[in-house]
Amino acid sequence: MEYYFSATVLFLLLHLLLSSPTTIFYTQTPTLLSPITKEPNTLQYTLTIHTINDSPTPVILLLDLGFAFTWLANCNTHHPLRHVPCNTPLCASLHSITCMNNNTCGLFAENPVTRTATPGPAVIDSIILRTTDGRNVGPLFTVVDFVLSCAGPSLLKGLAEGVVGLAGLGSTSNYGTTTFALCLSGSPSAPGVAFFNSVGPYIFQPNDIDLSTSLNYVPLLVNPVGGSTVITYHNRPSDEYYVKLTSIRVNGKPVPLDPSLLQLTKLSTTTPYTTMESSIYKAFVQSFVAESSATMNLTAIESVRPFKACYDEDDVDATRVGWAVPTVDFVMGDVFWRVFGGNSMVRAGDGKLCLAFVDGGRDAREGMVIGGFQMEDNMLEFDLGRGRLGFSSTLLLKGTTCSNFNFTTVGV
């Protein structure tokens, strides 16, 4: 019997630490992991997979939390790829909307940066992955049948140097693992980590801290309006991940805003900084500036685009959770995701610190999109089987960061 893994299962992707010469074949998908790297010029996060040619070949892909499948700009390999036929259950599961030449299932690949799309054939390849016990890296794992799309080089515009495609982690995967966790690092030289097919443990140094015991959980929501960046699909829900915010607080005080605008708040790894619909953003910035003045004696200075509230870095103290500024809470019913200065303030040149939130415009598709910067050094667990999101708030409170997973020890 053949088992097909949707390319949406870039839940399974990882940068291989090819120190072990042995590939282990499992009867069930084990727990897997991948380092996540941040590219400093584009602020994009990438994963690296290895495809099987004459030898394992590294392939760097943009990490997109909200796209339905994985695509490569160039599928040329040293071995033939199998095409997915039209009018098959596998093609239907990929939500194909076109049939290409030679009766090949067609998928519309999208670039979330340029917001362009192009059709490409769905093909089957093999990739090699590294297993984990949650503490160390383990033996290699081979996914024999892995589905992806060949999109063409035109879709690479605007992507980080070296990126040759996109790793989609969208919510409508029908194959493979239903649980994955992301821990994004803000350091280009110290990668974060993704865990796939696991609800823990997630062991970080120092002191073997298990982050799976520190998560709060809220429901993951489905946006009934389909389409991630370019194409809207009739009668198909979105592939992106949403949560319901009930309010936003600054220093514990609610920001005056229309809470209905927060009903579908999206999480996005391709959005560098959290964006807000204009009315939310205006009220939020005003609250932050007022609290900064009243409680921290900070005076806003000339802003730096695209930010609105900036301060002289010399006036702001540093703490173990980042800059000493008012806290921001994303309130979700009885729990809240607290954002400290390490995730709310960014250096913007000329000695300025700026509030790392952006105006998304009056016609924004979502009232709020939580971006990559606010996710950094936070553990996020996407449990699709239970329909819930687990989140930790900043790991700095626990004396660790997302770059503190031990990739150097190979277990057995």
Side-chain angles (χ1 to χ4, degrees):
M1 180 179 295
E2 289 184 304
Y3 292 88
Y4 291 96
F5 291 77
S6 165
T8 320
V9 187
L10 250 293
F11 301 168
L12 307 178
L13 295 183
L14 57 5
H15 176 75
L16 294 179
L17 306 172
L18 293 174
S19 55
S20 169
T22 304
T23 300
I24 305 296
F25 290 87
Y26 295 80
T27 57
Q28 295 180 339
T29 304
T31 299
L32 306 162
L33 87 167
S34 168
I36 303 173
T37 300
K38 183 176 183 179
E39 201 286 319
N41 295 318
T42 60
L43 307 181
Q44 295 168 4
Y45 304 94
T46 64
L47 292 178
T48 303
I49 68 171
H50 282 68
T51 57
I52 302 176
N53 293 299
D54 295 333
S55 60
T57 302
V59 177
I60 301 174
L61 303 173
L62 174 70
L63 170 59
D64 189 343
L65 185 59
F67 194 60
F69 58 88
T70 297
W71 57 261
L72 298 178
N74 187 344
C75 289
N76 291 335
T77 65
H78 297 294
H79 64 281
L81 298 174
R82 287 178 289 157
H83 287 242
V84 177
C86 302
N87 302 316
T88 60
L90 177 57
C91 183
S93 74
L94 299 172
H95 305 291
S96 171
I97 59 174
T98 185
C99 189
M100 305 188 71
N101 295 335
N102 300 320
N103 192 38
T104 298
C105 185
L107 300 174
F108 273 91
E110 301 180 14
N111 180 321
V113 177
T114 60
R115 298 181 60 83
T116 56
T118 185
V123 299
I124 300 172
D125 200 355
S126 297
I127 58 175
I128 303 174
L129 313 171
R130 181 64 79 173
T131 60
T132 182
D133 60 2
R135 182 187 303 272
N136 303 308
V137 295
L140 301 177
F141 176 79
T142 298
V143 178
V144 178
D145 295 304
F146 188 84
V147 182
L148 52 86
S149 177
C150 304
S154 63
L155 277 194
L156 294 179
K157 184 178 180 180
L159 302 189
E161 184 178 358
V163 167
V164 296
L166 178 143
L169 300 183
S171 62
T172 57
S173 171
N174 294 322
Y175 299 84
T177 180
T178 59
T179 305
F180 66 99
L182 301 180
C183 202
L184 304 180
S185 169
S187 171
S189 60
V193 60
F195 297 88
F196 308 107
N197 199 39
S198 173
V199 291
Y202 313 122
I203 307 296
F204 283 67
Q205 303 302 319
N207 302 323
D208 288 343
I209 302 170
D210 182 3
L211 300 182
S212 67
T213 64
S214 304
L215 302 179
N216 294 305
Y217 292 93
V218 294
L220 280 170
L221 305 179
V222 175
N223 188 342
V225 179
S228 54
T229 60
V230 182
I231 301 173
T232 298
Y233 299 91
H234 181 62
N235 291 330
R236 174 180 156 191
S238 172
D239 298 304
E240 299 154 312
Y241 297 98
Y242 294 84
V243 293
K244 178 182 178 180
L245 267 63
T246 51
S247 66
I248 300 173
R249 299 188 306 223
V250 175
N251 259 5
K253 300 177 182 179
V255 176
L257 51 81
D258 181 357
S260 67
L261 296 175
L262 303 175
Q263 294 285 315
L264 286 173
T265 294
K266 186 171 73 173
L267 296 101
S268 172
T269 52
T270 58
T271 301
Y273 303 103
T274 293
T275 64
M276 299 172 168
E277 182 272 337
S278 291
S279 67
I280 299 175
Y281 185 71
K282 181 179 180 180
F284 171 68
V285 171
Q286 288 177 344
S287 295
F288 190 90
V289 170
E291 283 298 308
S292 297
S293 175
T295 63
M296 309 283 182
N297 197 30
L298 297 176
T299 300
I301 60 177
E302 183 180 2
S303 61
V304 179
R305 295 183 64 184
F307 311 113
K308 294 296 184 181
C310 297
Y311 300 90
D312 190 321
E313 182 176 335
D314 292 337
D315 293 339
V316 186
D317 294 331
T319 74
R320 67 181 180 127
V321 290
W323 302 104
V325 295
T327 58
V328 176
D329 294 336
F330 301 151
V331 184
M332 293 167 272
D334 296 331
V335 298
F336 58 88
W337 177 347
R338 174 152 290 177
V339 180
F340 292 91
N343 292 101
S344 66
M345 305 300 293
V346 63
R347 284 189 170 99
D350 297 326
K352 293 182 179 181
L353 291 176
C354 295
L355 181 62
F357 292 74
V358 177
D359 189 341
R362 295 181 179 179
D363 299 321
R365 179 172 173 242
E366 293 87 9
M368 179 167 157
V369 179
I370 300 175
F373 185 76
Q374 277 66 44
M375 298 182 198
E376 290 176 0
D377 291 323
N378 288 250
M379 174 61 75
L380 300 178
E381 181 185 86
F382 296 80
D383 188 337
L384 307 188
R386 297 182 182 181
R388 66 181 189 176
L389 171 74
F391 63 94
S392 66
S393 293
T394 182
L395 303 183
L396 299 177
L397 285 172
K398 298 184 175 298
T400 191
T401 68
C402 284
S403 63
N404 279 349
F405 182 78
N406 183 8
F407 285 105
T408 62
T409 303
V410 178
V412 294

